[in-house]
Amino acid sequence: MKKSFGAKPYLFPMPVLMIATYGEDGKIDVMNMAWGGICSGNQVALNISESHKTAANIKAKGAFTLSIADIPHLPQADFFGIASGNNMEDKFARSGLHATPSERVDAPVIEEFPVTLECKVTELQHDAGGFRVLGEIVNVLVDEHVLDEAGKVDPAKLNAFVFDQFQSGYYAIGEKVGQAWSSGKKYLE
């Protein structure tokens, strides 16, 4: 028997993504967000509140980076979700992390996060669902230590974690349990 929970944003897993931007003063701002992801072959969609400092920075600069946080940097990633750039002078400096300017967009690349998508804003949307940013992925940067022998990202080495909307927890991504576009082939027969 199933129990009704009403209308809730209950999906699992949810990504833990770090949006990094520059403010008009040049300061780095990083925001932890889960309501976003890939929306086409070369685009991401970010659903964020327009009141965030990150939203103002995206509007001003027309660019952002989107990184995958890893378990060794979970405390900093969580901090970026609880501290507001609107209320804290320089929250990035408090994190102890390091950044370099992207070579392709006007946004910072956080050195400690193993995968970073460099994105330029293609559209800002306002609708009943709120504020949405569409960004074109212009490049992906990957730390070599998370690559396998074939030069592809190894999810085990990536050491990423996901967000649990049910109990507000973070969970490590576990072992591989199947192969996409192969595990269900028996049902094609």
Side-chain angles (χ1 to χ4, degrees), residues 68-73 114 145-146 154-161 172-173:
I68 299 172
D70 59 358
I71 293 171
H73 300 98
H145 77 274
V146 301
D154 180 340
K157 290 180 179 180
L158 187 58
N159 213 9
F161 58 97
I173 296 175

Side-chain angles (χ1 to χ4, degrees), residues 157-176:
K157 290 180 179 180
L158 187 58
N159 213 9
F161 58 97
V162 295
F163 177 63
D164 152 36
Q165 296 244 120
F166 302 106
Q167 298 180 15
S168 299
Y170 294 118
Y171 290 83
I173 296 175
E175 66 184 88
K176 183 176 180 178

Side-chain angles (χ1 to χ4, degrees), residues 3-15 34-35 163-169:
K3 180 179 177 180
S4 175
F5 279 82
K8 305 275 186 195
Y10 281 175
L11 282 179
F12 182 84
M14 294 293 290
W35 291 8
F163 177 63
D164 152 36
Q165 296 244 120
F166 302 106
Q167 298 180 15
S168 299

Side-chain angles (χ1 to χ4, degrees), residues 31-189:
M31 176 183 165
N32 176 329
M33 59 101 39
W35 291 8
I38 302 297
C39 64
S40 72
N42 69 338
Q43 272 197 326
V44 296
L46 313 177
N47 298 297
I48 61 176
S49 169
E50 206 162 0
S51 64
H52 286 293
K53 173 100 172 123
T54 300
N57 293 348
I58 285 172
K59 289 177 185 179
K61 297 292 185 172
F64 59 92
T65 58
L66 192 62
S67 297
I68 299 172
D70 59 358
I71 293 171
H73 300 98
L74 187 149
Q76 291 95 333
D78 188 56
F79 168 70
F80 292 141
I82 29 183
S84 169
N86 289 325
N87 302 327
M88 189 174 287
E89 180 62 28
D90 193 350
K91 75 178 188 180
F92 182 73
R94 290 188 188 204
S95 74
L97 298 182
H98 306 89
T100 56
S102 164
E103 294 179 10
R104 292 165 186 86
V105 298
D106 190 9
V109 174
I110 310 307
E111 293 178 20
E112 289 81 0
F113 296 146
V115 174
T116 300
L117 284 66
E118 297 169 292
C119 302
K120 66 178 181 179
V121 174
T122 57
E123 189 175 347
L124 301 175
Q125 300 176 343
H126 296 86
D127 60 27
F131 179 61
R132 182 173 304 106
V133 177
L134 296 181
E136 176 188 347
I137 303 166
V138 298
N139 189 49
V140 178
L141 299 169
V142 179
D143 287 347
E144 290 183 2
H145 77 274
V146 301
L147 300 177
D148 65 14
E149 305 77 39
K152 294 184 178 183
V153 175
D154 180 340
K157 290 180 179 180
L158 187 58
N159 213 9
F161 58 97
V162 295
F163 177 63
D164 152 36
Q165 296 244 120
F166 302 106
Q167 298 180 15
S168 299
Y170 294 118
Y171 290 83
I173 296 175
E175 66 184 88
K176 183 176 180 178
V177 295
Q179 184 64 41
W181 300 285
S182 180
S183 295
K185 281 186 177 179
K186 67 181 181 181
Y187 298 106
L188 292 173
E189 299 169 0

